[in-house]
Amino acid sequence: MESHSVTLDVRRLVGRFSLRSTSHVGRVSYLLLEMARAVPEWRIWMPRMFEQASNVGYGSLFIVGLTAGFAGAVTSLQAGYQFTGSIPVYFAAGVIVESIILELGPVLTALVLAGRIGARYAAELGTMRVTEQIDALESLGRSSVSHLVLPRVIAGTLMLPVLVVFADLVGIGAGWVAAKGSLEMTNADFTYGAQYFFKTWDLWYSMIKAFAFGLAITIVPCYMGFSTQQGAEGVGRSTTAAVVSASVLILFLDAALAKVLLKT
Amino acid sequence: MIELKHISKRFGDLVVLDGVDFEVRQGETVALLGPSGVGKSVLLKHINGLIHPDAGEVWVDRMKVGALKRKELSRLRSRIGYVFQNGALFDSLTVFDNIQLGITDEAASEDEVYCRDRVRQCLDHVNLPPETAHKYPAELSGGMRKRVGIARAIAGQPTYLLWDEPTSGLDPVNADIIDSLVEKLDDELGVTSVVVTHDVRGAFRVADRIALLRDGRIRAMGTPAELRASTDPAVQQFLERDLTIPVAH
Ligand SMILES: Nc1ncnc2c1ncn2[C@@H]1O[C@H](COP(=O)(O)OP(=O)(O)OP(=O)(O)O)[C@@H](O)[C@H]1O
Ligand SMILES: [Mg+2]
């Protein structure tokens, strides 16, 4: 009897979970469709997009630079710790530069921004939902997607690659300084090592990742904000859910893109 | 013309509307009365498609609201002004921008001079001074917010107006001004209105017909005189309290 009810419960749980995820998938697809339809209404989303973009861009410079700087310096110190003995010192430079461009720059920037703008988007739209501001917009015959979602998604998706380039530069700079200080690496060693391993494709790869992460950290929070229910607590819930699911999605996309694009 | 045909709506286990039939003729003002929580706001939101019925059909201007395409729905909505019960102002925008968003005609909304005049005009309609335009909703009192919501709803010169308790929370003078505005829009511009209200006296003043929503259905609907003459105890109970005072004179 006991085990019977437990299996039933598990089945019900699985059922509810899959029902809920299919309804999420359905509603996200619907949102994507609405976004595609709203693209021609550029007169509405474009000005709002620039507003959002400058906010995302300038507002994030400090935290992105700080994260990338520390990541670069620490990578450099750890490379120095690992690469001892017979391995030529310029190898360390290659490792530093490559790990920043391929992985640390895009992923750390995206994770930081998932917290910074993802939370913000979800909270803004969630509050607008529970205070009926989204209904009010719709009641005026205006599309909430072109007024609210599209500007945010496009701004975030365009700014993320820019911020990743910035993070790469800061990270490599910090790594370089740290390498010179702790590994007794010369400038010549560093540039030689960096160029020896570098391929142009790496930059493309970094940008493709940034672009995909940009979509993830904007669309997921906008969706979560839009489907907010039940007051202040609901806004809190969607904000947390937005940051967590955007972060998980970043890690998942990171693995998937590495598998697909690097053909390893 | 607004027609609700056998609308049913439930939220989870809670049945809010259970086969509502409701009709508003062109140019008419109908007041919708009913106890708190009975589903008046839910009914109103069905008319412009903010809520979809579980069963039944909503027709506005001989268009079936549920079957409209995106563009058509947005065009229809831009002709239906909606006054939200709690204002629902865009709190990150000034009063001016709020009302400007209410100017739904695209060409007009890009004409700066027109917008400025229209915003001032709408503020005047709801008895707010022009300086209010530069304030943010958070800087206004509850009653002022409500009136800005009304100004936003009428800014686009809609042919239909759905008022969700426009006078609740207002002092008698301003409530009177809003009632006059409802009458004026009705008489001068031929606007078709549905007014949800708890103010029975105001309802009797502005409405051509009055409807009572009760237990998920329209319990009674008719002209003020018909309703006053009704023998239905539910109707009488609802009208009694507010009407005995003025009638006693
Ligand atoms: N989005 C929603 N989700 C769940 N329940 C809802 C929702 N909207 C309304 N309800 C429920 O439907 C019922 C009717 O609500 P509604 O807001 O229409 O009442 P009302 O008649 O406008 O009351 P009042 O006069 O107090 O404004 C209430 O019991 C409310 O709890
Ligand atoms: Mg209500």
Side-chain angles (χ1 to χ4, degrees), chain B residues 52-174:
Chain B
H52 302 285
D54 297 334
E57 294 175 359
V58 181
W59 292 75
V60 177
D61 253 4
R62 289 189 209 85
M63 287 183 277
K64 191 176 161 192
V65 174
L68 292 178
K69 296 211 183 67
R70 212 173 92 93
K71 277 264 156 58
E72 296 165 333
L73 180 63
S74 102
R75 215 170 303 135
L76 176 66
R77 278 176 174 167
S78 65
R79 291 194 291 118
I80 306 178
Y82 193 110
V83 177
F84 283 81
Q85 185 168 0
N86 45 25
L89 300 182
F90 307 120
D91 49 19
S92 54
L93 302 179
T94 60
V95 168
F96 183 93
D97 292 339
N98 265 280
I99 299 176
Q100 189 177 17
L101 273 176
I103 300 174
T104 44
D105 183 67
E106 218 175 297
S109 74
E110 274 163 25
D111 180 349
E112 265 180 51
V113 180
Y114 173 79
C115 283
R116 222 170 317 134
D117 286 349
R118 182 71 189 149
V119 169
R120 189 169 321 133
Q121 212 176 10
C122 290
L123 283 174
D124 188 50
H125 278 317
V126 296
N127 193 30
L128 285 171
E131 305 88 75
T132 321
H134 310 293
K135 297 207 165 127
Y136 282 89
E139 300 168 326
L140 304 178
S141 76
M144 290 164 89
R145 259 177 253 164
K146 178 139 245 167
R147 285 180 280 154
V148 173
I150 294 172
R152 181 179 68 186
I154 62 175
Q157 296 177 321
T159 45
Y160 293 91
L161 268 164
L162 310 175
W163 313 73
D164 200 346
E165 302 192 17
T167 55
S168 71
L170 295 186
D171 61 280
V173 174
N174 276 308

Side-chain angles (χ1 to χ4, degrees), chain B residues 32 39-46 51 82 85 164-165 196:
Chain B
L32 183 61
K40 303 182 296 295
S41 302
V42 169
L43 191 155
L44 217 52
K45 284 180 187 168
H46 276 86
I51 294 183
Y82 193 110
Q85 185 168 0
D164 200 346
E165 302 192 17
V196 168

Side-chain angles (χ1 to χ4, degrees), chain A residues 19-91:
Chain A
L19 260 183
R20 200 177 302 160
S21 19
T22 26
S23 90
H24 272 310
V25 168
R27 287 192 309 214
V28 170
S29 327
Y30 182 72
L31 180 66
L32 292 177
L33 193 71
E34 287 288 297
M35 282 164 57
R37 286 201 188 132
V39 168
E41 294 165 18
W42 58 270
R43 288 154 73 97
I44 288 170
W45 59 256
M46 189 88 84
R48 293 171 171 83
M49 187 271 285
F50 283 121
E51 238 167 76
Q52 294 285 344
S54 79
N55 178 298
V56 172
Y58 290 126
S60 308
L61 277 182
F62 174 72
I63 184 70
V64 165
L66 190 74
T67 315
F70 271 96
V74 172
T75 313
S76 177
L77 296 179
Q78 289 180 349
Y81 169 73
Q82 287 179 310
F83 289 66
T84 45
S86 55
I87 302 171
V89 73
Y90 67 81
F91 260 66

Side-chain angles (χ1 to χ4, degrees), chain B residues 3-21:
Chain B
E3 281 175 289
L4 272 66
K5 296 182 181 166
H6 233 71
I7 296 294
S8 296
K9 180 71 190 176
R10 59 159 73 201
F11 295 104
D13 292 332
L14 177 73
V15 178
V16 179
L17 302 180
D18 184 19
V20 167
D21 287 299

